[in-house]
Amino acid sequence: IFACSGEGLRRFWVTDRRNPEEFATTVIQQDAADAATPQNLCLFEDGKGRMTFTRTLAAGSSTEREIVPGAPQAIIWARGPGETDLTSRHATRGEVSLDLTDVSGGVSEVKVTGQWTLWLHLLLMAPAWGVLLPLGAAIANRTKAVDGAPPGAWFKLHKALQRVGWMLQLCGFVLAYAHCDKYSAHWQHPHTYIGLAVVVVGGLQPVNAILRPHPPPGGWPAGKKPVGRLLFEAWHKGFGWAAVLLGMVNVVLGALLARELDFTTVTWAVPLAIGCTGITAFVLFMLLGLVAPNNAMNKALTGAKPKGKDAQPA
């Protein structure tokens, strides 16, 4: 890696995933900025940077890649955020393909193909936090009082959706960790921090649901819930809704992050489409249930019976 910074023009030999300043480097003697044809130069002026360097076409050692004349060469570039900072995430970056022996043909931008770990992460998290978990929460919120619905019908549907979503998001988290460990780096974007938070909260939801105080036969004495039940409802609903809302936002952030990192269009467009479709369905379901609690969809989901045909109270 050739780097131009306040320390001058340096060459890094990458042997591990660590802070760049810890790597052994080669400091390259620079030419004068006003030289007719400067071969090695690192210059910052008026907010712009200029870097030129030379190297042999042949690989000088096992740590170098050969440059083949007449063949496109993949070049990864990055810049920023400052002239001296080599440890922070770069402000702009990308990859191009260029024949270094004949630059008259210009450069072509190279899009990154998503690795299998990334694809599985996206295809698990998008349905989990973009569709299943939000709709499961919406059903619990909007279908409890549907006329003619069998007792507990909403809960069965809520539990089924949350179980599947819960499993998908846990698998998606494991794949995200494996992907960053092998192909990327951990904790480099808000998406990762939000993802950790929602997975932790979402992962604990079944645990606190199992430990919740159950009402005795005939209901709570005098209709008053004990403190333990009130604490459970505050946690389960409060943190649950926070996780659902942040999870939906994070699906979009994840897709946009893949786009920002120059992955192929299909890599970020597919999870974005899944997430946006699920979010739209969630919003419409909540609004419809608010305006018309006994709408046809809610009745169909809960198996509500028409009045006069052995209907049971919700």
Side-chain angles (χ1 to χ4, degrees), residues 4-176:
C4 174
S5 69
E7 299 294 327
L9 184 61
R10 292 182 290 172
R11 188 172 188 182
F12 290 77
W13 300 95
V14 182
T15 58
D16 198 0
R17 186 180 298 158
R18 288 180 291 150
N19 187 319
E21 297 295 349
E22 298 176 5
F23 288 110
T25 63
T26 300
V27 178
I28 301 174
Q29 183 65 39
Q30 296 187 55
D31 300 321
D34 58 354
T37 55
Q39 294 183 325
N40 297 294
L41 179 66
C42 172
L43 179 65
F44 291 95
E45 192 174 42
D46 298 329
K48 297 180 180 180
R50 178 186 174 191
M51 178 177 70
T52 62
F53 60 87
T54 57
R55 60 148 287 184
T56 60
L57 295 177
S61 66
S62 60
T63 61
E64 286 188 329
R65 292 179 180 270
E66 179 186 10
I67 298 176
V68 181
Q73 180 75 32
I75 299 176
I76 300 174
W77 62 271
R79 185 179 181 210
E83 297 179 8
T84 60
D85 189 1
L86 293 179
T87 62
S88 298
R89 192 165 180 263
H90 293 294
T92 56
R93 58 204 172 279
E95 182 178 347
V96 297
S97 181
L98 172 67
D99 180 0
L100 295 174
T101 60
D102 181 12
V103 297
S104 61
V107 298
S108 58
E109 187 177 9
V110 177
K111 293 293 184 180
V112 183
T113 301
Q115 298 84 0
W116 69 271
T117 48
L118 177 64
W119 262 111
L120 287 179
H121 167 70
L122 295 171
L123 293 178
L124 290 172
M125 285 302 203
W129 286 108
V131 182
L132 297 172
L133 295 171
L135 288 180
I139 284 172
N141 185 266
R142 293 289 95 199
T143 64
K144 288 182 180 179
V146 176
D147 292 341
W154 69 269
F155 183 69
K156 293 179 181 178
L157 189 56
H158 167 74
K159 186 166 62 173
L161 289 172
Q162 302 309 86
R163 280 178 173 175
V164 177
W166 182 83
M167 182 60 67
L168 292 183
Q169 60 107 30
L170 284 184
C171 293
F173 179 78
V174 171
L175 286 162

Side-chain angles (χ1 to χ4, degrees), residues 134 137-139 141-142 241 280-291:
I139 284 172
N141 185 266
R142 293 289 95 199
W241 273 110
T280 301
F282 165 81
V283 172
L284 293 177
F285 186 87
M286 290 291 290
L287 291 176
L288 182 61
L290 182 65
V291 175

Side-chain angles (χ1 to χ4, degrees), residues 1 101 191 207 217:
I1 297 175
T101 60
H191 172 74
V207 178

Side-chain angles (χ1 to χ4, degrees), residues 9 22 24 68 70 145 179 196 216 248 255 259 265 269 272 290 295 307:
L9 184 61
E22 298 176 5
V68 181
H179 175 79
L196 176 63
M248 289 189 290
R259 181 175 183 268
T265 301
L272 183 63
L290 182 65
N295 63 76
K307 289 184 178 181

